[in-house]
Amino acid sequence: MNIAVILAGGTGSRVGGGTPKQFLILAGKTILEHSVQTFENHPLIDQIAIVCHKDYIDNINALIGQNGWQKVTKVLPGGRERYESSLIALRSYAAYPDSNILIHDAARPLVSERIITDSIKALESSNAVMVGLATSDTIFQTDQEGKYIESIPQRALLRRAQTPQSFKIGTLSRAFEIALKDPAFVCTDDCGIISKYLPAERIAIVDGEEKNMKLTYSSDLSILETFF
C-alpha cells in the first residue's frame, strides 16, 4: 500500500490568533482540506491517516464528511512533539512493514501530484526519500554561540527540506526503535532519524517546488494566496 499521513497537530502559534493554522481558510477551504484533497485525488494513494490534537478530532471528522473523503481511514490523536505524531501513525500501520508511508505537513497545502508520484516511484529503489529544493541563498554555519561564521558549505550541494518524507514502514520503524533507546535523542524530521540511526540507508532526493511551502508565519498567507 501507499499510505499518506497528514500531520495536523500544530497549534500555529507563530501565525497568530487562536485558530490552529491547519484550520485557517485559504482560497475557500481550510489549509488542511487542500493538503488532504491532493492525496485523496492521487491514484497511487490507497489510504490516508490524519494525526491531530485530540481536541480537534471532531473537527477533522466533520471535514471528512463534508468533503466525502473515501481514503481517510484513520484519525489519530497526536503527540506533544512532531516525531511522536509520526511514531503514532507509524505504529498504527506496523502490520504492513513492506508498505510505503508518506508523511506530510498539513501546513503545506500546495503539494503537487508530481511530487507524490516521484516520491512513490523513488521508493521502488530506496527505503527513504526526501523532497528537497535547491537554495538560492548562501548558507553558513556558525560557532556554538552563533557569533562567528565557522564554515560556508557549497551552495550547489544544499537543499531545503520539504514534505512528504517517504519511507518503507519497516525501515522507519527500525530507525525509531534505535532512536528511542538513545537518551540524547533529538528529532526535527523523520529523514533525520534515518540519517542518524540507520546511516547505511541512502536517502533519495525528489525535486521540490517553491509553491510547496509551509505556512509558518502570518506573512506566508499572502504568498500562498498568490500561488493559489
Side-chain angles (χ1 to χ4, degrees):
M1 292 191 297
N2 294 311
I3 301 158
V5 171
I6 312 298
L7 299 182
T11 59
S13 57
R14 284 175 289 185
V15 176
T19 302
K21 58 186 175 182
Q22 59 270 25
F23 295 113
L24 293 176
I25 301 298
L26 188 66
K29 291 187 176 183
T30 63
I31 296 288
L32 176 63
E33 285 176 281
H34 289 296
S35 298
V36 174
Q37 193 66 54
T38 304
F39 288 93
E40 173 76 18
N41 292 344
H42 199 288
L44 297 180
I45 295 297
D46 300 298
Q47 291 189 27
I48 300 171
I50 301 174
V51 186
C52 67
H53 190 283
K54 60 181 178 63
D55 292 345
Y56 291 96
I57 289 177
D58 288 344
N59 300 68
I60 300 294
N61 285 328
L63 289 176
I64 293 171
Q66 291 169 19
N67 289 278
W69 292 329
Q70 299 297 310
K71 294 181 182 179
V72 180
T73 56
K74 297 184 181 186
V75 179
L76 304 168
R80 291 172 298 176
E81 303 289 339
R82 184 189 191 281
Y83 83 86
E84 293 176 321
S85 294
S86 293
L87 185 58
I88 287 167
L90 187 66
R91 285 174 171 168
S92 75
Y93 289 102
Y96 308 97
D98 296 324
S99 289
N100 300 327
I101 190 168
L102 291 77
I103 302 176
H104 184 66
D105 297 325
R108 294 184 187 271
L110 279 169
V111 62
S112 69
E113 179 178 317
R114 195 273 305 166
I115 287 177
I116 297 170
T117 300
D118 287 357
S119 296
I120 293 171
K121 188 177 299 183
L123 285 171
E124 294 174 4
S125 55
S126 299
N127 293 324
V129 179
M130 169 78 88
V131 178
L133 188 65
T135 178
S136 59
D137 298 316
T138 296
I139 306 295
F140 59 83
Q141 182 175 341
T142 71
D143 61 1
Q144 291 293 328
E145 296 181 353
K147 293 183 177 181
Y148 301 97
I149 292 177
E150 196 163 86
S151 65
I152 303 178
Q154 294 183 51
R155 187 171 63 187
L157 302 179
L158 300 176
R159 298 290 185 275
R160 287 181 280 152
Q162 297 185 333
T163 64
Q165 295 183 16
S166 308
F167 312 89
K168 293 295 182 186
I169 289 177
T171 301
L172 187 56
S173 296
R174 287 196 302 275
F176 262 113
E177 184 178 352
I178 299 168
L180 294 174
K181 295 176 182 176
D182 180 2
F185 171 55
V186 177
C187 171
T188 57
D189 65 62
D190 302 293
C191 276
I193 299 174
I194 298 287
S195 179
K196 183 172 183 179
Y197 296 102
L198 291 179
E201 289 285 355
R202 292 176 63 83
I203 302 171
I205 301 170
V206 163
D207 288 336
E209 298 171 0
E210 285 288 352
K211 71 177 184 177
N212 187 29
M213 64 177 288
K214 185 177 182 180
L215 173 61
T216 304
Y217 302 103
S218 56
S219 58
D220 295 335
L221 281 168
S222 59
I223 300 173
L224 283 167
E225 284 280 7
T226 302
F227 281 128
F228 269 102

